[in-house]
């Protein structure tokens, strides 16, 4: 009986020691966000983000942002001190034959998502567990969390 207990204890310790728990310090930012309003600050035009490209969604996890609309884009991001920095954009190859992600070199591909530079900075106007508002030099974006 004692031998079985020791065996179970050693096995349990081995299993727990081999697990890596990866956590994120993104707080309320992590998760899936639906764009509800896309406001162009240059022209004053306001669009319903749910109608653009079949609906625009941003998903944050770890240090990656996936934007989904007509295409799927992948960004690296950093956030802190009420600023969100997006950089290193790729066009996802997840649904292609080669499955290769392609670096984006022309920022015009990103405009429909509210991004106008290959390295874009947003001021975080509001961020809580259900709402997010971001503003750059060109747009103000409003999101709701799924």
């Amino acid at each position: 009986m004692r031998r079985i207990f020791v065996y179970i204890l050693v096995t349990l310790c081995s299993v727990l020691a081999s697990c890596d728990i990866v956590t994120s310090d993104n707080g309320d930012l992590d998760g899936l966000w639906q764009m509800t309003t896309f406001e162009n600050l240059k022209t004053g035009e306001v669009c319903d983000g749910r109608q653009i490209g079949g609906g625009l969604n941003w998903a944050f996890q770890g240090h990656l942002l996936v934007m989904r609309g007509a295409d799927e884009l992948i960004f690296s991001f950093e956030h802190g001190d009420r600023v969100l920095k997006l950089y290193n954009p790729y066009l996802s190859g997840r649904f292609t034959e080669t499955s290769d992600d392609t670096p984006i070199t022309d920022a015009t591909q990103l405009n429909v998502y509210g991004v106008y530079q290959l390295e874009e900075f947003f001021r975080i106007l509001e961020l809580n567990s259900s709402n997010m508002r971001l503003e750059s030099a060109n747009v103000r974006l409003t999101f709701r969390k799924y």
Side-chain angles (χ1 to χ4, degrees):
M1 180 74 168
R2 183 178 163 125
R3 183 182 287 197
I4 292 173
F5 177 74
V6 170
Y7 177 74
I8 291 172
L9 184 62
V10 168
T11 302
L12 182 62
C13 288
S14 296
V15 168
L16 291 176
S18 66
C19 293
D20 255 352
I21 298 174
V22 177
T23 60
S24 166
D25 62 351
N26 293 330
D28 288 332
L29 185 63
D30 270 346
L32 181 60
W33 295 89
Q34 178 186 40
M35 187 183 296
T36 56
T37 307
F38 184 115
E39 181 180 352
N40 185 320
L41 298 176
K42 304 291 184 190
T43 66
E45 181 182 9
V46 178
C47 300
D48 185 339
R50 296 167 289 199
Q51 304 300 318
I52 301 170
L56 298 177
N57 298 300
W58 291 19
F60 293 90
Q61 184 177 8
H63 293 287
L64 290 178
L65 164 61
V66 176
M67 293 181 182
R68 291 185 187 98
D71 293 313
E72 186 174 82
L73 309 177
I74 303 167
F75 284 82
S76 297
F77 76 90
E78 297 173 9
H79 79 100
D81 199 30
R82 309 297 291 172
V83 174
L84 175 65
K85 174 186 174 185
L86 307 182
Y87 60 97
N88 203 19
Y90 280 81
L91 179 61
S92 172
R94 184 164 58 151
F95 302 111
T96 65
E97 290 181 23
T98 62
S99 296
D100 290 336
D101 296 337
T102 308
I104 295 175
T105 56
D106 180 10
T108 57
Q109 282 183 264
L110 311 173
N111 294 0
V112 71
Y113 296 89
V115 179
Y116 288 81
Q117 307 292 324
L118 295 176
E119 185 175 281
E120 185 76 82
F121 291 86
F122 289 95
R123 284 185 306 135
I124 300 172
L125 303 175
E126 177 184 11
L127 177 59
N128 58 47
S129 61
S130 57
N131 297 300
M132 176 170 64
R133 284 187 315 126
L134 304 174
E135 185 176 276
S136 70
N138 297 297
V139 295
R140 184 177 303 120
L141 308 173
T142 305
F143 298 84
R144 75 174 181 96
K145 197 171 213 174
Y146 277 129

